[in-house]
Structure formats: structure tokens, C-alpha cells
Amino acid sequence: GAGVSQSPRYKVAKRGQDVALRCDPISGHVSLFWYQQALGQGPEFLTYFQNEAQLDKSGLPSDRFFAERPEGSVSTLKIQRTQQEDSAVYLCASSLWGSGVGDTQYFGPGTRLTVL
Amino acid sequence: AQSVAQPEDQVNVAEGNPLTVKCTYSVSGNPYLFWYVQYPNRGLQFLLKYITGDNLVKGSYGFEAEFNKSQTSFHLKKPSALVSDSALYFCAVILYGQNFVFGPGTRLSVLP
């Protein structure tokens, strides 16, 4: 079956621009996660949804970052007024059930954001 | 706070030889432990996980990992490495009700 998909795969933005990154989770998966992966590092947690509810946004680095999942399926991560330090790969993952219950998270290919 | 260490940035092994990629963790509680692999320009691909039960976990592509509670380790192993195993490997830990914490990654190079 289809896995997690993300679009765009690559995004170049000028400093100060707003960007929107899309994630389509595996159909029927309740939970959706966003991670930020800087070059040469492991992914770092940003935020977590269970259906349409954003249960944890403790990893969002600033109030310029905003995520939503209005119908409990597709999610969008929005970054306002992008800065160079926002350059990273943004990974989306989904799991059948919830966070922290040992449920496997399945990852999309990521969106590589470069801020000039 | 949870943390995961992968003490080797790079592991080199000859094709056909056994490989080990090390992972140690620091958590207060009973963790769930995962291994993921990342190929260039791809997302993370699930290999295996330890939840409970047998300390030796078998996963995809011939990989296995051994949970050692006393040493707080979860090393990834494979009896015979393939060139196609060359990739970036991440260990991750999660506690009930919390979120994944990933290690920094280990780059595995299998030499023909």
C-alpha cells in the first residue's frame, strides 16, 4: 500500500518568506508526527497529532512554526518569515495508534528546505 | 531526560563480515527501542523494535538487535554484511506517553 508522502520534496525560500510543507500519512493512521533533521544529525521531534488534535507541540522551535491537521488526515507544517537556521529536512511520520505505546512510526521521504 | 548515544560516527566493515552498530540509552523507566535506516534522499525506514519479551529481536533484511538492560544497550547486528547495507543508521528510544528521541546516527560503509 501507499506509504507516507510529502510535498514538495525540495523547497528553496528567500529569508523572510513563508513556506508550507504537506504530509499525507498512511490511510487510517491515527497519529502524525513532524520532525526536523539538520544536516548530519538525527531527527528532532517537533509536534504530534492524534487525529485532528495537536497533543504535543513542545518541539516547535519558535512561534514562527505552526502545524495543523484539520480533518485528521493531511497535515501542513507552516514556517513564517523563514530564517537561515530553518534550513533542514522536515520529516513526517505516521503510526496506527498513539505516541509512546511502542507503535512503529512510518516516515515519509522528507522535504529539504533551503533558506537563502 | 531521555538520551540516546551512538558512540561511533562511522563503521567500516568488509562485505561478508559480521557488523555491529552500537547504541546506548539513558532513560528513567522501561523504554521501547527502535532501529531505523536512512538511505540518501530517503526517509527513515523501520528495521526492528524492542517492546518486551525476548531480548533478541529479529527484523528486516537479516538484521537483529539485542536488548541489554543492565548495560542499557541495544546494539544492531547482522551476521554477514552486504554492500547494499551501506547507509545511515539511527537508534531511537521512546517512553510511554512521550515521543521519540533519536541518536545522532552511525554511517555504515560495507566495502566490497
Side-chain angles (χ1 to χ4, degrees):
Chain A
V4 178
S5 61
Q6 294 185 246
S7 60
R9 291 293 312 277
Y10 303 91
K11 177 69 178 178
V12 179
K14 293 183 179 179
R15 189 164 56 92
Q17 285 185 331
D18 297 349
V19 298
L21 313 180
R22 177 188 169 104
C23 173
D24 283 83
I26 294 172
S27 178
H29 276 197
V30 167
S31 294
L32 185 145
F33 308 82
W34 283 99
Y35 294 85
Q36 182 189 60
Q37 186 178 20
L39 189 64
Q41 298 183 23
E44 293 194 355
F45 169 79
L46 293 177
T47 187
Y48 157 56
F49 291 86
Q50 191 168 92
N51 295 308
E52 68 278 6
Q54 189 174 21
L55 298 188
D56 188 344
K57 54 181 181 180
S58 62
L60 295 177
S62 78
D63 59 7
R64 296 186 295 105
F65 286 71
F66 172 75
E68 60 183 5
R69 194 187 184 198
E71 297 179 358
S73 178
V74 171
S75 177
T76 303
L77 176 67
K78 297 179 180 178
I79 309 174
Q80 297 177 326
R81 304 181 303 282
T82 53
Q83 304 294 316
Q84 286 188 323
E85 60 263 29
D86 299 335
S87 296
V89 175
Y90 291 85
L91 296 168
C92 175
S94 69
S95 69
L96 186 58
W97 300 116
S99 172
V101 295
D103 205 14
T104 299
Q105 294 184 22
Y106 296 92
F107 284 79
T111 295
R112 182 178 298 276
L113 173 65
T114 303
V115 181
L116 303 177
Chain B
Q2 306 170 64
S3 66
V4 179
Q6 294 181 242
E8 300 157 318
D9 292 336
Q10 173 95 29
V11 170
N12 298 319
V13 63
E15 187 176 27
N17 282 3
L19 70 86
T20 298
V21 183
K22 295 180 181 178
C23 172
T24 59
Y25 63 91
S26 174
V27 299
S28 54
N30 294 316
Y32 304 129
L33 295 154
F34 292 72
W35 276 102
Y36 283 84
V37 60
Q38 188 174 37
Y39 295 98
N41 298 316
R42 304 275 294 275
L44 277 68
Q45 183 175 339
F46 170 72
L47 282 179
L48 50 80
K49 66 181 178 182
Y50 172 81
I51 303 299
T52 187
D54 194 349
N55 289 343
L56 184 63
V57 179
K58 294 187 182 296
S60 306
Y61 313 115
F63 284 94
E64 59 187 29
E66 186 166 11
F67 172 63
N68 188 318
K69 188 171 183 178
S70 63
Q71 297 187 0
T72 62
S73 68
F74 190 56
H75 300 332
L76 181 70
K77 300 182 179 184
K78 186 174 182 181
S80 179
L82 300 173
V83 172
S84 57
D85 293 330
S86 299
L88 194 54
Y89 289 80
F90 290 98
C91 181
V93 63
I94 190 168
L95 286 174
Y96 183 83
Q98 298 186 27
N99 293 297
F100 266 155
V101 173
F102 283 89
T106 298
R107 186 165 300 281
L108 173 67
S109 291
V110 181
L111 309 174

